[in-house]
Amino acid sequence: MTDSLPPIQTTARDDAVLKALAGFVRQESLGPGERLPTERILAERLKVSRNTVREALTRWEGLGLVERRQGSGTYLKAAVSPDMLHMPLTLAGGNDFAGLMRTLEIRRALEAEAAALCAVRAGKAEIAEIERKLDIMEEAFRTRAGMSSEEDWEFHQSVYRASGNPLFEQIISAMHELFHRFWEHPLGVRDFGHASFPYHRSIFNCIAAHDPLGARAEALKLIATVEDDLKRGAANLKLLDRK
């Protein structure tokens, strides 16, 4: 099936590889959830190095378009096409409070709208999958005596996917790493994320009831708890700076 990939004859290798891969995906009618050929096969067909293919796939991964599963391969997470525009998103690294707050302002709007659209568009299968992710997250909270970033993220991803708009997952995924870093090193906020825990269930209840206004309101309450945690972390940082 990979014989259809044309060799790359341009100096703009990364963009050309992305375009060729997208064209291949469309030609082969590959959809979300399906596996791409191996890096070795793609490199051979495109006449480029495996490192070039790997870097191109890393760009797709950063945009939330593919998922790399160790020992299994690279899988599509969203529909792609050769006409896609790749929007760079640059975020300040580290525990930069101002950068985190700017990111949170954008995430607040996106999370609320994604939850509202999910409440309108999600079908029985999507609602069942969201509840499954929620049950896993709640069990992790109980057994580990606190929030788990991985299970929490998977719950939110299930909501984005059920919203019917792949841009939610792609854009928020680009911001996720910044919050994940803070989650791992929360500046003394030992219970970071705990206050948001009950709002995951209340968001789901509104989605299951097809209540977009309620889902939006509960999502905003959840983000408000995250903002409070960030402010507590910033206060701890100021105390450390004074010592």
Side-chain angles (χ1 to χ4, degrees), residues 20-210:
L21 286 175
F24 168 75
V25 167
R26 184 166 66 179
Q27 180 175 324
E28 298 298 325
S29 300
L30 296 176
E34 296 188 87
R35 187 171 61 182
L36 293 175
T38 65
E39 291 177 359
R40 179 183 62 81
I41 292 175
L42 291 173
E44 288 175 356
R45 297 298 182 263
L46 293 170
K47 307 301 182 186
V48 297
S49 69
R50 291 179 64 178
N51 188 56
T52 297
V53 172
R54 188 175 299 116
E55 289 175 356
L57 291 175
T58 297
R59 288 181 62 186
W60 268 10
E61 186 177 30
L63 292 167
L65 298 176
V66 297
E67 175 185 9
R68 284 166 165 165
R69 302 176 189 172
Q70 188 172 4
S72 181
T74 302
Y75 292 78
L76 282 174
K77 293 176 63 178
V80 298
S81 77
D83 301 321
M84 287 191 310
L85 296 176
H86 301 284
M87 298 185 300
L89 183 62
T90 302
L91 301 171
N95 286 329
D96 173 61
F97 176 71
L100 285 166
M101 290 302 294
R102 285 193 292 268
T103 304
L104 187 65
E105 289 173 356
I106 301 301
R107 187 168 179 179
R108 176 185 287 111
L110 293 174
E111 291 276 3
E113 189 62 19
L117 288 174
C118 182
V120 173
R121 297 172 177 173
K124 291 182 179 180
E126 289 85 2
I127 291 173
E129 176 64 7
I130 295 170
E131 185 172 29
R132 187 178 74 85
K133 295 294 186 181
L134 176 61
D135 289 341
I136 293 172
M137 191 208 77
E138 291 179 336
E139 179 63 22
F141 183 89
R142 286 190 290 268
T143 57
R144 300 174 194 173
M147 293 293 290
S148 169
S149 62
E150 181 178 350
E151 286 81 7
D152 174 83
W153 176 236
E154 290 182 357
F155 165 79
H156 286 286
Q157 282 183 304
S158 68
V159 174
Y160 309 149
R161 290 167 187 160
S163 73
N165 188 334
L167 290 177
F168 281 114
E169 184 176 5
Q170 292 174 35
I171 295 173
I172 299 176
S173 290
M175 297 186 287
H176 171 65
E177 179 62 23
L178 187 61
F179 277 94
H180 178 73
R181 291 178 189 175
F182 182 83
W183 201 308
E184 296 299 319
H185 306 283
L187 299 177
V189 184
R190 298 184 182 277
D191 60 346
F192 180 77
H194 286 206
S196 72
F197 177 70
Y199 295 110
H200 294 78
R201 175 62 66 175
S202 60
I203 289 171
F204 168 75
N205 289 340
C206 291
I207 290 172
H210 298 290

